[in-house]
Amino acid sequence: METRGVWSNVAIAAVNKREKPVKPEKPEKLSPAFNKLWSASLMSNLADGLLRSAAPLLATRLTQDPLLISGLGALVMLPWLLFAIPVGGLVDRVDRRLALAFANAARFLITGTVALTISLGTLNIWGLYLAAFCLGICEVIYDTTGQSMIPQVLGPKQLERGNARLQISEVVVGEFTGAPIGGLLYAVAIVLPFLFNSLGFLVAMVLVLLVPKSFAQTLKKPMDKVSGLSTETGELVEVERTGFWQDIRFGLNYLWQDKILMRLVVTTAAIGACFALATSTMVLFLLNELQVPSAFFGFVMLTMAIGSILGGIYAPKASTRFGRGTVMAVAIVGMCAFNLSAGFAPNVFVLMAFFFFSGMLNSSWNLLLMSCYHSLIPNHLFGRIHGARRTLVWGMMPIGSVIGGAIAGFGLRLPFFIGGAISTVIALTAFGFVRRLGNEVASAVDNPAG
């Protein structure tokens, strides 16, 4: 009897254990500081979205030359080649909140001037070129500063969720909302999207200033000591504070010595240049080759935005299930293949399907890639190293855009064929490297003691 009673108790305990499964841990809430930064970015992204569809449409009104059209995109990206490194050095030294506010204030003035010259009928393609270049400089400041602040307000295990929220909101308010509205406003009156764009940046500037001052200054170090790279061991050690240009050289040297990080940057830069080549004259391809009305230009781009949203939602979940590196490797190959396929699209509906899948994979890649960078790069060095890598990655895009514009003179489908084919080959070559690196970084975050 006693033995039977003991085993009965064991059986009951086992049943109770099965009936009460262990609940998975709830993810930590994102910090209030991050939420304030996120809310400040919403209006800036909405203003960007209005410009994203209105600017290329305005360019086609000023010129039909494919090379000049591609030059507009090149000038927006050129500041990454010229200024990303010094801006990165400044971001590591200044109040990052004020840097964000300055960038939005400058964009407010630039786009306001464009709206004024449109109203007066004095704008030409060269004036639009100048505005694009100046907006590109502001984008360098804004993006470098914003990305440098993310690890300050998020823990290592929150990076994927935080980056997903930022990316989804950027797509929703920028491409899903701003871009189609920009196209409709342009159809009503050319000046309207630029006017509302300017006001959007003004509101964004005010919202940035509401972020607590302490939030942007949490990384300040004693004036006499900073982290530096040992010439003997290659490890970070405390060294005497150096000047601005010494800091810049250190950032470049750090990136150069980290062979894994450097390979990732070079791979991304090559694919980015191919994407710029492929899409440099996309507005002409849509308007002239596929006969899309200008008012619906933004709506065509919505398919890519919808894909981007889904990619942002499911990328962290897929990363957890299949491994970050596996998802990254599949995404980079897939988005390159769909970029190549766009050149074969017989009509706008097929192209929209390609845009949908390309947007979903591109969003997944960018989200997980940035989470890797946030884990790999020490945050108090992030501005300099982020600037150095963006010089290579986004600095190559103007070159790709100009080449794409020249190729488009022989056919508006050719840029997709050439850029898509080259990028697909590069992505396939890097598949194993990306898969291993992404999985190793995610494993290190989940098991910091290991």
Side-chain angles (χ1 to χ4, degrees):
M1 293 292 295
E2 291 181 1
T3 303
R4 188 165 54 247
V6 170
W7 284 110
S8 297
N9 291 336
V10 171
I12 293 172
V15 170
N16 290 335
K17 188 175 182 180
R18 286 196 303 270
E19 291 177 349
K20 298 178 180 179
V22 178
K23 294 182 179 179
E25 290 186 21
K26 291 184 178 180
E28 297 180 23
K29 291 184 178 180
L30 302 180
S31 69
F34 170 82
N35 290 330
K36 290 178 181 178
L37 178 66
W38 170 67
S39 63
S41 74
L42 291 177
M43 186 56 68
S44 180
N45 288 325
L46 178 60
D48 274 332
L50 293 173
L51 197 63
R52 190 170 293 119
S53 59
L57 290 173
L58 177 60
T60 61
R61 186 180 180 87
L62 298 174
T63 180
Q64 285 289 305
D65 188 328
L67 191 58
L68 290 178
I69 295 293
S70 67
L72 183 66
L75 281 174
V76 172
M77 304 305 300
L78 184 60
W80 286 101
L81 181 62
L82 301 178
F83 305 116
I85 293 176
V87 166
L90 286 173
V91 164
D92 287 340
R93 288 172 166 259
V94 302
D95 186 324
R96 291 172 174 175
R97 180 182 62 104
L98 295 181
L100 289 176
F102 170 80
N104 279 328
R107 291 195 283 189
F108 159 69
L109 294 174
I110 295 165
T111 52
T113 302
V114 171
L116 178 62
T117 55
I118 292 174
S119 300
L120 297 175
T122 58
L123 183 67
N124 55 33
I125 189 64
W126 310 113
L128 189 59
Y129 268 24
L130 178 61
F133 182 73
C134 293
L135 286 172
I137 297 174
C138 296
E139 182 68 21
V140 173
I141 298 171
Y142 189 88
D143 183 85
T144 303
T145 306
Q147 288 295 339
S148 299
M149 293 174 73
I150 297 302
Q152 292 180 242
V153 294
L154 292 177
K157 294 184 178 181
Q158 297 177 320
L159 289 174
E160 288 187 3
R161 289 175 54 226
N163 280 316
R165 178 181 292 188
L166 284 170
Q167 185 160 299
I168 292 170
S169 63
E170 178 181 351
V171 173
V172 170
V173 302
E175 298 182 24
F176 197 75
T177 306
I181 291 176
L184 291 175
L185 290 175
Y186 181 90
V188 175
I190 297 174
V191 70
L192 284 180
F194 298 94
L195 178 62
F196 283 105
N197 171 263
S198 180
L199 294 176
F201 285 128
L202 179 63
V203 175
M205 179 195 70
V206 175
L207 292 173
V208 164
L209 292 175
L210 295 179
V211 177
K213 188 176 181 180
S214 59
F215 165 47
Q217 297 180 330
T218 55
L219 292 181
K220 283 197 169 183
K221 291 180 173 292
M223 291 302 294
D224 59 333
K225 295 284 186 181
V226 293
S227 291
L229 196 64
S230 170
T231 56
E232 296 180 358
T233 65
E235 298 177 350
L236 286 174
V237 295
E238 291 294 306
V239 298
E240 295 297 322
R241 176 172 289 277
T242 57
F244 174 74
W245 292 108
Q246 286 88 348
D247 285 349
I248 295 297
R249 286 195 292 270
F250 167 74
L252 291 172
N253 188 50
Y254 184 99
L255 179 60
W256 177 257
Q257 290 192 23
D258 193 325
K259 300 304 181 184
I260 293 177
L261 186 60
M262 188 65 182
R263 181 179 176 184
L264 183 61
V265 169
V266 170
T267 300
T268 308
I271 291 177
C274 291
F275 265 66
L277 187 158
T279 60
S280 58
T281 55
M282 183 170 61
V283 62
L284 290 178
F285 177 68
L286 287 170
L287 298 180
N288 298 343
E289 187 79 13
L290 300 183
Q291 302 299 311
V292 176
S294 60
F296 294 99
F297 175 74
F299 287 96
V300 173
M301 304 308 294
L302 272 182
T303 52
M304 187 176 294
I306 295 171
S308 297
I309 293 171
L310 292 177
I313 292 173
Y314 288 107
K317 298 177 182 179
S319 174
T320 300
R321 181 173 180 179
F322 301 108
R324 180 188 292 180
T326 302
V327 176
M328 289 175 65
V330 171
I332 195 173
V333 172
M335 69 184 185
C336 291
F338 279 113
N339 202 34
L340 169 62
S341 301
F344 294 97
N347 55 58
V348 68
F349 301 106
V350 175
L351 183 70
M352 290 168 69
F354 291 150
F355 280 178
F356 171 81
F357 290 109
S358 178
M360 182 171 62
L361 295 171
N362 189 37
S363 174
S364 301
W365 162 257
N366 285 330
L367 187 161
L368 299 177
L369 175 67
M370 190 52 63
S371 297
C372 281
Y373 280 135
H374 284 147
S375 299
L376 290 170
I377 303 172
N379 187 243
H380 63 283
L381 308 175
F382 195 92
R384 280 166 281 174
I385 298 171
H386 181 73
R389 77 169 191 86
R390 276 289 170 86
T391 296
L392 295 173
V393 176
W394 285 16
M396 290 293 292
M397 290 184 180
I399 299 173
S401 292
V402 172
I403 295 174
I407 293 173
F410 300 95
L412 293 174
R413 294 180 183 271
L414 280 178
F416 285 106
F417 293 150
I418 296 175
I422 297 174
S423 62
T424 301
V425 171
I426 295 172
L428 286 170
T429 303
F431 186 93
F433 163 73
V434 170
R435 183 173 180 272
R436 287 191 303 272
L437 177 62
N439 287 339
E440 288 172 2
V441 171
S443 177
V445 170
D446 293 334
N447 304 285

